[in-house]
Amino acid sequence: PQQSRRERERRSGKTSVLQFAMAIIGGRQAVAAYAASISLRTATSFSSYPSISARTLGPAHRLPLAPSAVSPQRPNFAMSASTSSDADAKVDIASNIAYVRQRIDDAMSSNERPEGSVRLVAVSKTKPLELLQAAYETGQRSFGENYAQELMAKSKEMPDDVSWHFIGPLQSNKAAPLVKTVGLDKLACIETVSTLKLAAKLNRAVETLNEDAEEKKKLGIYIQVNTSGEESKSGVSPGSEIAGLVKQITEECPWISINGLMTIGAPGDDSCFDTLAQCREEVATILDRDPNDLDLSMGMSGDFEV
């Protein structure tokens, strides 16, 4: 019956209208959640590529959530999955975000996570500035983009206190323009670094930007890990490959800060989360840091409550 209902909703135009993403950064239990194409549920984690769909949060038990105090029922959708400006204009961003935030609060309560340990990142790729501004007006400040050119353009139009996360594949020749255009005050993190070449390009861009700056800053990155071993997924392999990359970046890229790990994982395979958590332990040892100081970004759009 659930599948039938969801199919009816999909056909009636009640599904994904706006892509949002959620990064769970659990303070001392850093965990990041990604999600994609979640229409009004608009928020859960970083949706990166259309073919990949979503990602979600980290190591906790899968528990049913209590009914939302803000939105007892799932919001009604008045539009199809069109990307046209007419359809986008009908999206009730405030309700969408309130609904997702309530789901996050419920999941945090069920898993005894401390207040303030979750960061919600709105994935705004291909969406018009009007929708981003509507999200901003609800208090949303973290946004995720997949395409360098789009992020560079939007960063000039949105307020300066927006924190931008780059969540798509980044070509090394786009690294310098992205860093220099968005700037280190607004570019919070590149979440898809899996090669020394890209890290080195980013490092050189940051170094150049810092030359004339009074306050020198580093650029945060996540190391992307292919925890499922699928050829269709990007990322370094667990074990010696990620250890080697972390050591190289640490030694050769002084303007880069490794702030966490990211994985997409295989759909329905929660063991990928465990693998990434183990990778974090190993990376923390290399960096001589507390593992809980490193963020984990992982999961699929349907399971961010895990």
Side-chain angles (χ1 to χ4, degrees), residues 15-132:
T15 51
S16 30
V17 196
L18 181 63
Q19 295 184 312
F20 268 77
M22 173 176 90
I24 302 294
I25 307 208
R28 297 295 296 173
Q29 295 183 6
V31 183
Y34 269 141
S37 293
I38 314 187
S39 68
L40 202 76
R41 300 163 304 199
T42 78
T44 14
S45 171
F46 296 132
S47 139
S48 57
Y49 334 101
S51 62
I52 296 218
S53 270
R55 322 167 194 171
T56 287
L57 61 134
H61 297 293
R62 184 187 299 273
L63 297 173
L65 296 183
S68 167
V70 172
S71 181
Q73 297 179 343
R74 293 195 177 191
N76 292 322
F77 295 82
M79 71 296 289
S80 68
S82 167
T83 58
S84 70
S85 58
D86 289 343
D88 286 334
K90 298 177 182 178
V91 179
D92 187 348
I93 298 298
S95 295
N96 294 4
I97 291 180
Y99 174 68
V100 176
R101 285 175 178 160
Q102 185 60 49
R103 288 178 64 191
I104 294 170
D105 289 345
D106 291 342
M108 290 172 61
S109 177
S110 297
N111 292 280
E112 300 182 349
R113 291 193 179 280
E115 183 178 354
S117 64
V118 173
R119 174 184 298 152
L120 177 64
V121 177
V123 174
S124 48
K125 68 172 186 177
T126 75
K127 297 304 174 184
L129 286 169
E130 289 80 3
L131 291 188
L132 277 71

Side-chain angles (χ1 to χ4, degrees), residues 141-162:
R141 293 296 181 268
S142 296
F143 290 83
E145 288 286 340
N146 291 64
Y147 308 113
Q149 288 296 133
E150 187 174 359
L151 172 51
M152 288 187 280
K154 287 179 176 176
S155 68
K156 297 176 181 178
E157 302 296 332
M158 291 293 288
D160 288 341
D161 62 339
V162 166

